[in-house]
């Protein structure tokens, strides 16, 4: 729901790192996005296409690396993925569980082009 | 022409986190305890804040930062009437407050003469969870009228909480609400979360909530 401000942040991060590395162009942005981050890639892509115009990122492509929501059972150490409704441990039915992945949300790397060495 | 992959690994919400940490430090330096109250629209945030002010204002000085999507001052007027300085920050339609908005609110509050600052976040169960505002504690108000399935549908907001208020308990006889189903969902997301069932209408359950709040304010002074 806050995809616009998030997309602005992604662009700011990409531009900063592109400039630091002497890029002439940014060709790709690699994002890591967890199931529980509540962000819609489609929506980010939509804002991205608008925001990049006239920037060094104008011709870049967004790549989303999706991470599933995975819980770890503190009782029996079982790890399981959540798709729809949260449940306790399917192995031992304990509800003493913690989220180990699914909250991710970061820029992993960017791909830049330099016209000459 | 060469193509290079540059590692970044930068959290996208970083700028907000930076401001939030500064906010927290400013509150702490003023020996203020700050609590961020989140909830769905109409859950009873303002009612709870107003009642809390009424019951605590003889013991401590309370300031309120009211987040609103539009510049209507309904909530901040109620708080002012209850006897606490309130500042309103408008998000211009955004669905959540961020740390910078809170900073603007802080600049208008008499921080030197306050013990407790309450932030009333925008009514929304999704976005506020992602934004650290610089409070010392995050609270959620879940009214029984919303139903017992909310932890299952909005898991994120439950995970970053320090305290949970189950409100409008006076309505339990009139709505279908299975407290065990609700508690099981909460327990999966946030084991052992401190929970206070309250009613702002009858005042039921306020004592333990106020005791908790007072102990936090006292800790901030220490
Ligand atoms: N029965 C009952 N009604 C309540 C209680 N708390 C709040 N209400 C009512 O619920 C409605 C919404 O309360 P508010 O305090 O304005 O809710 P809010 O969360 O601040 O709403 P927004 O700021 O608009 O998102 C009002 O009509 C209140 O009178 C309660 O404990 N019991
Ligand atoms: Mg309100
Ligand atoms: Zn298990």
């Amino acid at each position: 729901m806050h995809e616009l401000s998030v997309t602005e942040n992604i662009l700011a991060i990409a531009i900063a790192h592109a400039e630091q590395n002497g890029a002439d162009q940014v060709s790709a942005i690699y994002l890591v996005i967890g199931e529980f981050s509540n962000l819609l890639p489609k929506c980010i892509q939509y804002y991205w296409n608008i925001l990049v115009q006239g920037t060094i990122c104008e011709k870049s492509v967004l790549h989303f690396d999706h991470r599933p929501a995975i819980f770890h059972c503190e009782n029996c150490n079982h790890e399981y993925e959540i798709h729809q409704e949260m449940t306790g441990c399917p192995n031992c039915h304990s509800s003493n569980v913690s989220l180990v992945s699914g909250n991710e949300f970061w820029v992993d790397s960017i791909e830049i082009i330099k016209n000459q060495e | 022409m060469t193509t290079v992959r540059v590692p970044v690994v930068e959290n996208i919400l970083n700028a907000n986190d930076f401001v939030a940490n500064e906010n927290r430090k400013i509150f702490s330096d003023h020996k203020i305890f700050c609590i961020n109250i989140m909830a769905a629209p109409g859950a009873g945030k303002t009612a709870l804040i107003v009642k809390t002010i009424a019951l605590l204002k003889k013991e401590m000085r309370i300031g309120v930062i009211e987040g609103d999507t539009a510049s209507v001052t309904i909530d901040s007027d109620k708080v002012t009437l209850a006897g606490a300085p309130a500042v309103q920050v408008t998000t211009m339609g955004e669905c959540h407050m961020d740390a910078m908005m809170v900073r603007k609110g802080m600049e208008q509050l008499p921080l030197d003469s306050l013990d407790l600052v309450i932030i009333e976040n925008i009514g929304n169960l999704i976005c506020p969870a992602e934004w650290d505002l610089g409070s010392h504690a995050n609270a959620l108000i879940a009214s029984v009228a919303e139903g017992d399935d909310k932890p299952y549908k909005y898991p994120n907001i439950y995970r970053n909480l320090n305290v949970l208020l189950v409100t409008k308990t006076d309505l339990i006889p009139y709505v279908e609400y299975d407290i065990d189903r609700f508690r099981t969902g909460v327990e999966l997301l946030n084991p052992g979360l401190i929970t206070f069932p309250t009613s702002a209408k009858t005042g039921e359950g306020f004592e333990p909530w106020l005791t908790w709040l007072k102990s936090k304010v006292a800790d901030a002074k220490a």
Side-chain angles (χ1 to χ4, degrees):
Chain A
M1 259 171 115
H2 47 259
E3 276 83 355
L4 176 55
S5 34
V6 153
T7 311
E8 288 167 346
N9 277 328
I10 297 170
L11 184 60
I13 291 170
I15 291 175
H17 284 268
E19 285 174 354
Q20 273 166 34
N21 289 280
D24 289 297
Q25 221 190 88
V26 177
S27 47
I29 317 279
Y30 293 85
L31 303 168
V32 173
I33 181 165
E35 172 84 20
F36 272 11
S37 69
N38 273 320
L39 292 163
L40 299 173
K42 252 188 172 169
C43 196
I44 294 177
Q45 184 72 59
Y46 176 85
Y47 288 127
W48 183 257
N49 296 343
I50 298 169
L51 292 172
V52 291
Q53 286 169 29
T55 75
I56 196 170
C57 295
E58 185 152 16
K59 298 211 172 80
S60 65
V61 178
L62 288 180
H63 294 270
F64 296 92
D65 177 4
H66 295 270
R67 300 282 166 88
I70 294 174
F71 278 85
H72 172 253
C73 174
E74 307 293 341
N75 186 41
C76 76
N77 282 327
H78 182 61
E79 287 198 348
Y80 58 104
E81 212 177 304
I82 296 285
H83 296 285
Q84 293 281 320
E85 187 155 313
M86 288 174 309
T87 56
C89 175
N91 189 35
C92 73
H93 304 291
S94 166
S95 58
N96 184 11
V97 297
S98 52
L99 192 74
V100 289
S101 119
N103 220 10
E104 298 79 357
F105 184 38
W106 68 75
V107 181
D108 183 67
S109 58
I110 62 174
E111 195 179 75
I112 59 170
I113 295 172
K114 299 185 190 187
N115 289 341
Q116 66 232 21
E117 267 311 85
Chain B
M1 194 171 98
T2 49
T3 302
V4 194
R5 181 92 168 243
V6 180
V8 177
V9 196
E10 192 164 319
N11 195 314
I12 293 164
L13 302 176
N14 248 351
N16 183 73
D17 290 349
F18 183 81
V19 178
N21 285 330
E22 279 185 350
N23 289 356
R24 203 159 13 249
K25 184 164 187 309
I26 296 170
F27 283 127
S28 298
D29 288 348
H30 285 85
K31 299 198 179 301
I32 291 172
F33 178 69
C34 175
I35 186 164
N36 166 31
I37 298 193
M38 302 176 284
K45 296 179 291 295
T46 306
L48 183 111
I49 292 169
V50 164
K51 184 113 191 151
T52 301
I53 292 168
L55 295 169
L56 284 183
K57 71 176 172 194
K58 292 214 174 71
E59 294 174 54
M60 61 177 74
R61 296 156 303 174
I62 306 170
V64 178
I65 299 176
E66 280 288 341
D68 267 297
T69 52
S71 52
V72 283
T73 56
I74 300 172
D75 285 357
S76 51
D77 290 348
K78 283 185 194 164
V79 170
T80 309
L81 211 73
V87 297
Q88 182 175 2
V89 291
T90 307
T91 65
M92 301 313 239
E94 275 264 30
C95 48
H96 62 272
M97 294 171 81
D98 62 33
M100 201 44 110
M101 290 175 198
V102 169
R103 176 70 62 82
K104 286 185 191 136
M106 290 163 74
E107 282 165 2
Q108 297 170 56
L109 279 177
L111 294 183
D112 285 329
S113 57
L114 293 177
D115 306 304
L116 169 66
V117 168
I118 302 174
I119 302 170
E120 177 174 346
N121 213 312
I122 306 298
N124 182 329
L125 288 178
I126 302 175
C127 312
E130 313 278 326
W131 300 82
D132 184 1
L133 301 184
S135 60
H136 298 105
N138 289 324
L140 176 74
I141 298 189
S143 73
V144 301
E146 293 157 48
D148 50 29
D149 58 0
K150 291 301 163 288
Y152 303 90
K153 290 186 174 168
Y154 303 93
N156 258 345
I157 202 150
Y158 284 86
R159 294 187 27 251
N160 296 322
L161 292 183
N162 308 98
V163 58
L164 172 63
L165 292 129
V166 179
T167 54
K168 306 195 188 179
T169 52
D170 58 292
L171 295 180
I172 286 182
Y174 312 104
V175 294
E176 264 178 49
Y177 187 82
D178 179 351
I179 185 109
D180 289 334
R181 176 162 193 243
F182 178 81
R183 280 188 185 270
T184 303
V186 174
E187 199 52 30
L188 286 172
L189 294 163
N190 197 328
L193 178 62
I194 304 163
T195 304
F196 300 112
T198 55
S199 164
K201 191 173 179 195
T202 65
E204 187 193 344
F206 262 73
E207 259 332 295
W209 152 243
L210 297 179
T211 305
W212 181 86
L213 201 53
K214 281 190 270 190
S215 77
K216 292 294 171 189
V217 171
D219 289 350
K221 296 269 166 250

